[in-house]
Amino acid sequence: MKIAILLKQVPVKDAMLELNDSGNWIEEDDVQFEINDSDHYGLAEALNIAKENEGEVTVVTMGPDRVKDSIKQALAKGAHRAIHIDDEEVSSSDPLTCAKIIAAAIKDENFDLILSGLQSDDLGFGQTGVLVAEILGMPHATLVVETEILDGKIKVKRELEGGWFQNVELPLPAMLSIQSGLTDIPYATIKGIMMAKKKPVAEVEADDLGVELDGGAFKLEKIYTPVKSKETTVFEGDADTIVAQLIDKLKNEAKVL
Amino acid sequence: MSQGILVIIEHTDAKVNRISLEALTGAQKLGAEMGQSVFAAVLADDCSAMTGELSSKKLDKIYALSNPLLADYTPDGYTIALQQLIEKTDPAVVIVGYSYQARDYAAKLALRCGGAMMSDCIAIQADSGNITLTRQVFAGKFNADYSFSGDGCCFISLQAAAYNADELEAGTAAVEGFAVNLDSREIRTTVLESFEGTKKDVDLAASDIIVAIGRGLKEEENLEIAEALASAMGADIGASRPVCDDGWVGADRQVGSSGQTVSPKLYLSLGISGAIQHVVGMKSSKYIVAINKDPHAPIFDIADVAVVGDLFEIVPKLTEAVKAAK
């Protein structure tokens, strides 16, 4: 069974992000990057399925050179090989363009299963996996928390709203976007890290895939710090002073003491 | 020339979901700005309860797509049915609420119709026919404005509470049946059973005070710092999704788009940055105190009191002070 995991690299969770001078992206120079949160769960699920079904897991990642670190990490955790779609501009392009590029890069692989995380923590469109499925003519399911491979099909448990779940079946090949939570994330072992160095990483140039990189139907005009809608009192500095000020607020404004 | 704004209605137990009423409100406002009519589409095996509910709203028309194959939601069923409606009616804009269901099919539908979708928007503006969409990026730290310049239909999904459903204008709306040409063999997903997750041991929606914890607490052992404060204040513990995913507390304590929506008298957050998915679940709290070391944490934008500092130093002192004050 051939399984792909679409993996995105995003700024680390507690990165102090600043806007760039032109106000159309963040200043990336001093920012560290990591594997997107829900993609970790997608990778974990891909590895679980591969273990039980004699599968091979291919990491598919798009982005500049820095994404190679995330690819190495995924290979160290047990993925078998990787496809790196090299694109400097990818981070700011729209989900449909991203999906077209990814679909063009992997269409000849004939994956039985394509997994992604639910959404990225940077732009959070939550569309790329679904669009790749549509382009490649595959059925899909989103918000998946459990999977079970059956004969020629896959049964998945999907998270619904309000604490409900649903089971559905899809014929293979299929695409699933994985919700975070209900599986353990694997750690890279020393042996895994050693072995990762020998695993194949195919390099593909996004420009060579014949996809028009015009930014699609939506143009990013600007990124900016939101105007605050609420008046906020800020406390900082000495902890004892902060606590005294807080107690006053809790008594006289929140009225909970 | 494409005309009109189509809103796709989502429903549960034969009632229109609030997020769809919010989407209709957004569509009415956009329709007024653009001088465009507003249509709604309902999909079900029997649409009458939902079309009945919507017929007292100010809409130009409600399309009822009644078909036994639309009794259960499937991405294929909805996409095929809606593609037929969209090709026939040729709307300029399609709006859906950014629900779990919309996440599942809306992008696929947009592509199938030759359009594109901007997901999870918080505002739509129209200036002489040009549409600008605002959405939050980098977990709510920044806003981004996108202009629409496509040739096809502009698909938009709206974040929960982007518009206030109480402002939905009343009026009358005619209901028109739309016959869908659907074959069961085209629906690749087989829907099996639905079931409720684990039973809850706390109902945060009923809590007066919530002490909410996030990744900033760093390790599960540090939970006791938050628990001591909660106990001193008579509060319940709430949490962001990552903390629930890591198993520190049960999923019933999760606040946000995939958990509970709460509005306690006091919401005191510890080490929560305030990603959109969390904020939509707690922003209507009466009083919000947020403690975080990052002065740019987006949670501070909606807080009444922002405490920039080390929660490990402040919270134990706060707990003692609360005990003394009581």
Side-chain angles (χ1 to χ4, degrees):
Chain A
M1 172 167 277
K2 287 184 73 179
I3 307 164
I5 166 71
L6 311 182
L7 201 136
K8 188 172 186 180
Q9 194 186 48
V10 297
V12 296
K13 272 164 220 87
D14 55 358
M16 304 276 182
L17 299 176
E18 302 288 343
L19 294 171
N20 67 7
D21 289 340
S22 18
N24 59 6
W25 198 242
I26 54 162
E27 192 52 70
E28 285 198 0
D29 284 356
D30 299 322
V31 176
Q32 290 196 307
F33 289 82
E34 64 185 0
I35 294 175
N36 181 55
D37 203 45
S38 63
D39 298 0
H40 275 294
Y41 291 92
L43 173 63
E45 198 58 36
L47 293 172
N48 288 342
I49 296 171
K51 203 178 284 174
E52 287 165 22
N53 299 277
E54 296 172 17
E56 181 198 63
V57 175
T58 304
V59 177
V60 180
T61 299
M62 182 154 69
D65 249 12
R66 61 170 155 78
V67 306
K68 285 178 177 162
D69 285 341
S70 294
I71 289 175
K72 257 184 226 158
Q73 202 183 55
L75 292 173
K77 287 180 176 205
H80 301 86
R81 63 189 188 98
I83 299 172
H84 172 211
I85 306 166
D86 192 17
D87 188 331
E88 288 299 321
E89 295 299 318
V90 65
S91 48
S92 52
S93 72
D94 71 315
L96 184 52
T97 307
C98 286
K100 284 178 178 171
I101 293 171
I102 293 170
I106 67 173
K107 66 177 192 304
D108 296 331
E109 293 276 350
N110 296 314
F111 288 114
D112 299 294
L113 209 48
I114 299 175
L115 270 54
S116 75
L118 178 66
Q119 63 182 43
S120 62
D121 295 334
D122 52 1
L123 294 177
F125 291 112
Q127 296 187 30
T128 307
V130 171
L131 291 170
V132 167
E134 173 66 13
I135 294 167
L136 297 178
M138 289 180 176
H140 77 268
T142 55
L143 291 143
V144 170
V145 292
E146 264 175 49
T147 67
E148 185 188 350
I149 301 286
L150 305 170
D151 187 23
K153 55 188 181 178
I154 184 165
K155 181 178 170 181
V156 305
K157 177 177 164 186
R158 296 184 63 224
E159 185 177 303
L160 303 179
E161 282 160 351
W164 281 73
F165 295 89
Q166 174 194 52
N167 287 332
V168 301
E169 277 178 8
L170 308 166
L172 294 173
M175 187 274 151
L176 310 176
S177 90
I178 305 293
Q179 169 67 301
S180 62
L182 299 182
T183 185
D184 287 331
I185 294 177
Y187 288 93
T189 59
I190 299 288
K191 189 176 164 222
I193 293 166
M194 297 306 290
M195 281 168 67
K197 291 176 183 160
K198 294 181 189 136
K199 291 178 177 173
V201 180
E203 295 283 339
V204 180
E205 289 291 330
D207 294 343
D208 297 342
L209 293 167
V211 176
E212 220 176 300
L213 300 175
D214 60 354
F218 295 99
K219 182 169 176 276
L220 176 62
E221 296 291 343
K222 57 174 177 175
I223 295 186
Y224 53 97
T225 305
V227 182
K228 283 171 59 78
S229 53
K230 199 163 185 176
E231 206 166 298
T232 304
T233 310
V234 179
F235 294 152
E236 54 193 327
D238 173 61
D240 289 312
T241 314
I242 289 175
V243 167
Q245 288 168 320
L246 262 181
I247 292 290
D248 178 60
K249 290 281 185 191
L250 295 180
K251 262 188 193 161
N252 299 315
E253 288 186 11
K255 299 192 194 309
V256 293
L257 288 182
Chain B
M1 178 72 188
S2 303
Q3 278 295 328
I5 301 163
L6 175 69
V7 178
I8 303 165
I9 301 300
E10 199 174 312
H11 49 88
T12 312
D13 299 330
K15 266 187 69 81
V16 174
N17 289 359
R18 187 169 179 89
I19 199 162
S20 294
L21 299 175
E22 292 165 1
L24 282 171
T25 310
Q28 280 182 343
K29 289 182 194 293
L30 180 66
E33 281 174 52
M34 295 177 76
Q36 298 252 357
S37 27
V38 178
F39 304 89
V42 179
L43 298 82
D45 52 346
D46 176 2
C47 297
S48 54
M50 286 73 76
T51 55
E53 184 183 343
L54 293 177
S55 60
S56 61
K57 309 300 177 198
K58 190 181 164 196
L59 301 169
D60 289 85
K61 200 178 283 177
I62 306 165
Y63 291 102
L65 283 65
S66 297
N67 189 303
L69 292 175
L70 297 172
D72 283 321
Y73 160 78
T74 56
D76 285 331
Y78 266 49
T79 300
I80 294 166
L82 287 164
Q83 185 190 6
Q84 291 171 12
L85 179 72
I86 288 165
E87 282 177 356
K88 184 77 188 294
T89 55
D90 193 24
V93 178
V94 173
I95 301 181
V96 297
Y98 191 57
S99 63
Y100 274 19
Q101 194 174 91
R103 286 175 189 224
D104 200 52
Y105 77 87
K108 171 189 170 85
L109 174 67
L111 179 54
R112 193 76 67 91
C113 294
M117 180 170 80
M118 188 51 65
S119 37
D120 204 12
C121 298
I122 54 171
I124 312 173
Q125 269 162 30
D127 182 23
S128 53
N130 299 317
I131 296 173
T132 302
L133 300 165
T134 304
R135 60 193 305 279
Q136 293 173 294
V137 294
F138 294 100
K141 271 193 182 158
F142 304 117
N143 281 1
D145 284 356
Y146 289 85
S147 61
F148 177 72
S149 56
D151 308 322
C153 179
C154 176
F155 286 74
I156 302 165
S157 69
L158 285 174
Q159 190 178 105
Y163 289 87
N164 183 351
D166 298 337
E167 293 171 13
L168 181 58
E169 285 185 64
T172 52
V175 179
E176 186 177 307
F178 181 85
V180 174
N181 187 5
L182 198 56
D183 185 325
S184 62
R185 284 167 298 186
E186 296 174 299
I187 298 176
R188 293 169 290 184
T189 306
T190 308
V191 178
L192 306 172
E193 68 282 2
S194 295
F195 47 95
E196 208 167 359
T198 44
K199 280 279 159 256
K200 302 180 168 86
D201 66 16
V202 63
D203 180 14
L204 291 181
S207 303
D208 273 341
I209 307 177
I210 293 173
V211 169
I213 55 170
R215 272 191 213 270
L217 217 58
K218 290 199 168 71
E219 285 173 35
E220 189 172 357
E221 293 82 83
N222 298 328
L223 193 58
E224 58 190 44
I225 303 173
E227 281 169 342
L229 177 62
S231 154
M233 299 197 73
D236 290 312
I237 293 278
S240 64
R241 176 147 194 142
V243 168
C244 297
D245 283 349
D246 285 346
W248 296 4
V249 295
D252 52 340
R253 296 191 182 270
Q254 186 184 318
V255 174
S257 58
S258 54
Q260 300 270 320
T261 301
V262 300
S263 50
K265 278 193 208 159
L266 171 66
Y267 193 90
L268 203 168
S269 79
L270 311 176
I272 290 179
S273 67
I276 323 150
Q277 294 86 348
H278 183 75
V279 167
V280 294
M282 50 64 74
K283 65 181 172 190
S284 59
S285 300
K286 317 285 182 297
Y287 201 83
I288 299 169
V289 176
I291 304 179
N292 202 298
K293 65 170 188 192
D294 175 7
H296 302 298
I299 192 126
F300 289 153
D301 294 340
I302 56 152
D304 294 281
V305 176
V307 178
V308 185
D310 178 5
L311 71 92
F312 298 105
E313 190 188 357
I314 295 164
V315 174
K317 289 185 183 213
L318 180 61
T319 304
E320 291 313 310
V322 167
K323 281 183 191 162
K326 275 211 162 174

